[in-house]
Amino acid sequence: MGPVKVYKCLSIADKQKVIAAVEAGEKKKMLLYVLKKCEYPDLQECLMAFFTQSRQNNIPISGPILKEKSKLFATNLGITNFQASEGWLEKFKKRHDLTFKKVCGESASVDPCISQDWKNELINILVDYDARDIFNADETGLFYKCLPDRTLTFKNEKCHGGKNSKERITVMLAANMDGSQKLKPLMIGKFANPRCFKNVKSFPLMYRSNKKAWMTGVLFTEWLLCIDVDMKKANRKILMFVDNCTAHNNIPHLENIKIHFLPPNTTSTLQPIDQGIIRKFKKNNRFL
């Protein structure tokens, strides 16, 4: 019964005929019937081939692009009375279960061969370390004053919003493989002595500042050296994975930390802390 859902734009009576054909095992009859009900089947076939190929190459396709491409196919196929209307587009999307989504993340740009080779090599890298001594660190920007883009409202009330706050800080997060330890975070703001820090004697993190609230090589080095001192006191040797951004290039001499870089342009799929930890941190540290 699975293939029948592709044709949910048909009428109830037509659906019953298709379902009966499937149950009777007459797949060929069902296909001919649906193609007969579908106007311009050759055009639909060409357009779906174009759409499938484009999405396989991660090319974004919108409704206006489909309409323009359908007009071109119609001209090439000699179809003179075709109109790429909004109604036609909606029926086309329903017929093929197409929906409009936001393109998120950078994982589509990652070479799967590079990722797989690194995963194979990872076994040899981790062999000398326990799970509690394997860490991953990554920094992220936090727009801590950014209001949510969704709200409860009355049904008949128009929902308007204002500009989102651009105030941000950078936070370096690090945790180990078995989840038993989170290292002291590094927070980078724009101001050396923010008003909210008045009369505060101690912090659960390391705070530093610069003009743009960005990570720099100097700040990353200082953070690493502090972590190295803590690990030396605890008599622990740890392995830490970081990405190869510019601020991470100048690694100082470390006695108890071994730094290993992730392959270039693969952090969206290989960075462990980027697989939900950073997202959870941001969700818990903004207005909800």
Side-chain angles (χ1 to χ4, degrees):
M1 300 299 292
V4 178
K5 68 178 183 179
V6 178
Y7 313 108
K8 59 184 178 183
C9 61
L10 299 175
S11 66
I12 295 177
D14 293 335
K15 287 181 181 178
Q16 295 301 324
K17 293 180 181 180
V18 173
I19 292 172
V22 173
E23 291 176 344
E26 300 174 349
K27 295 183 179 180
K28 184 176 181 180
K29 179 180 177 181
M30 178 200 71
L31 181 60
L32 291 174
Y33 178 80
V34 173
L35 289 177
K36 183 178 179 181
K37 296 296 294 184
C38 173
E39 197 173 11
Y40 315 120
D42 293 339
L43 172 60
Q44 300 262 351
E45 185 178 350
C46 292
L47 195 59
M48 271 308 296
F50 160 75
F51 178 82
T52 303
Q53 184 178 13
S54 299
R55 290 307 303 137
Q56 287 175 348
N57 293 319
N58 298 305
I59 300 173
I61 300 296
S62 63
I65 292 177
L66 283 178
K67 290 168 68 175
E68 291 300 318
K69 201 67 179 179
S70 66
K71 292 178 184 177
L72 178 61
F73 286 138
T75 301
N76 294 338
L77 293 170
I79 302 173
T80 57
N81 57 343
F82 172 75
Q83 291 184 351
S85 62
E86 285 297 326
W88 169 85
L89 179 61
E90 287 303 314
K91 290 179 181 178
F92 177 81
K93 291 193 292 185
K94 287 182 179 179
R95 184 176 293 114
H96 298 284
D97 279 342
L98 305 183
T99 185
F100 196 66
K101 295 181 179 180
K102 182 179 180 181
V103 178
C104 301
E106 303 172 351
S107 58
S109 62
V110 178
D111 188 339
C113 295
I114 294 178
S115 298
Q116 188 57 50
D117 291 343
W118 189 81
K119 289 178 182 179
N120 296 335
E121 180 187 354
L122 190 60
I123 299 175
N124 297 325
I125 298 174
L126 304 181
V127 67
D128 295 327
Y129 295 89
D130 294 330
R132 64 184 293 268
D133 295 326
I134 301 170
F135 287 80
N136 175 224
D138 191 25
E139 59 265 71
T140 182
L142 177 64
F143 293 86
Y144 59 97
K145 287 188 177 181
C146 190
L147 293 173
D149 55 3
R150 296 176 182 272
T151 181
L152 293 173
T153 184
F154 295 105
K155 289 184 178 180
N156 299 325
E157 182 183 16
K158 291 185 177 180
C159 192
H160 299 290
K163 290 184 177 180
N164 284 326
S165 172
K166 301 297 183 183
E167 291 191 44
R168 67 184 292 278
I169 58 175
T170 297
V171 182
M172 168 70 83
L173 301 174
N176 62 353
M177 186 174 177
D178 64 1
S180 62
Q181 184 179 5
K182 294 177 287 187
L183 298 181
K184 182 182 292 186
L186 168 62
M187 179 188 293
I188 307 170
K190 290 185 178 181
F191 308 105
N193 295 296
R195 187 177 302 172
C196 60
F197 287 179
K198 187 177 181 180
N199 297 325
V200 177
K201 301 299 183 181
S202 62
F203 296 94
L205 48 78
M206 178 190 294
Y207 179 80
R208 296 294 183 268
S209 63
N210 59 48
K211 190 174 182 180
K212 295 186 177 181
W214 286 353
M215 176 64 75
T216 65
V218 174
L219 294 180
F220 181 67
T221 296
E222 183 183 1
W223 180 78
L224 278 180
L225 291 173
C226 289
I227 300 299
D228 191 50
V229 170
D230 292 340
M231 293 301 164
K232 187 175 182 178
K233 291 179 180 178
N235 195 26
R236 292 175 62 187
K237 299 281 187 178
I238 69 170
L239 173 66
M240 182 177 294
F241 291 97
V242 296
D243 59 44
N244 64 336
C245 79
T246 305
H248 300 168
N249 286 344
N250 297 320
I251 302 298
H253 173 70
L254 303 169
E255 295 183 11
N256 291 64
I257 302 177
K258 181 180 179 181
I259 299 295
H260 200 287
F261 290 104
L262 297 168
N265 304 318
T266 60
T267 56
S268 58
T269 57
L270 296 181
Q271 183 91 267
I273 209 166
D274 201 23
Q275 308 305 313
I277 297 176
I278 288 178
R279 181 178 180 274
K280 186 68 174 179
F281 169 80
K282 289 184 174 182
K283 184 177 180 181
N284 291 339
N285 289 277
R286 60 172 288 184
F287 297 111
L288 297 177

